Amino acid sequence: MIQLATLGLTPIVVEEGLKKSIPERLYIIHTKDESNYNFEKEAKKLKKKIELQYKVPTILLKVDAFDMDKIIKSILNIIMKERKANPNLAKKDFAINITGGTKLMVASATTASYLAGTRVYYVMEASKHRGEDLVKELPMPV
């Protein structure tokens, strides 16, 4: 399984998504550093942690947080590239974690998931959902 995750202010949601199902490869979709938060630096730290702790090869993809078309195309290109490298990968072998990032990143990732026919999920807030599975797969229209 190949997993893609949008990164925002709470990197822990990317890790929570890994706990549900360890992927063969993870793509972290992040934005440039802002005055209030170092998204690139946090993405690099998270990549290093995931590769060490979970042994999952991780690729960083920097996007413009407000360029919906480019985010959608970037996600679709990743899926196409992965399927070309491994023709045995089916649509269900891709999962997109839409928990982090800007609202536009979430909308773009959800749209890309819909267009590609992949799975999409959201990580619930731990303080409000104790004892439950925090990773909720969202229904997607066929």
Side-chain angles (χ1 to χ4, degrees):
M1 189 242 310
I2 308 298
Q3 196 174 108
L4 298 89
T6 53
L7 178 65
L9 297 172
T10 51
I12 190 71
V13 297
V14 176
E15 287 185 73
E16 284 296 328
L18 292 176
K19 292 176 184 176
K20 179 80 169 180
S21 179
I22 300 288
E24 296 169 38
R25 195 166 11 275
L26 171 68
Y27 288 84
I28 297 175
I29 303 163
H30 66 91
T31 62
K32 65 180 180 163
D33 290 342
E34 299 286 337
S35 59
N36 64 332
Y37 194 78
N38 296 322
F39 291 101
E40 286 183 80
K41 182 179 175 183
E42 289 303 316
K44 288 176 185 174
K45 261 187 358 189
L46 184 59
K47 170 185 165 53
K48 188 175 183 179
K49 181 179 181 182
I50 288 170
E51 289 182 335
L52 286 172
Q53 187 173 337
Y54 298 93
K55 308 290 188 242
V56 174
T58 304
I59 298 148
L60 301 179
L61 174 67
K62 185 167 76 170
V63 297
D64 179 339
F66 302 101
D67 188 340
M68 187 172 194
D69 189 48
K70 190 166 184 180
I71 296 169
I72 293 168
K73 285 179 182 175
S74 296
I75 292 170
L76 293 175
N77 283 337
I78 289 169
I79 294 167
M80 187 174 61
K81 182 183 97 179
E82 288 288 343
R83 289 188 80 185
K84 188 174 185 181
N86 182 355
N88 293 327
L89 287 173
K91 293 175 182 181
K92 66 177 176 51
D93 293 322
F94 292 89
I96 302 177
N97 177 348
I98 61 166
T99 314
T102 64
K103 288 179 176 71
L104 194 66
M105 287 170 69
V106 170
S108 300
T110 304
T111 300
S113 177
Y114 172 72
L115 292 171
T118 68
R119 296 180 300 136
V120 63
Y121 64 91
Y122 186 86
V123 177
M124 308 300 281
E125 192 174 328
S127 64
K128 294 180 181 177
H129 299 277
R130 289 191 185 114
E132 294 182 37
D133 184 3
L134 296 179
V135 179
K136 304 292 182 188
E137 189 163 337
L138 304 177
M140 291 298 286
V142 289

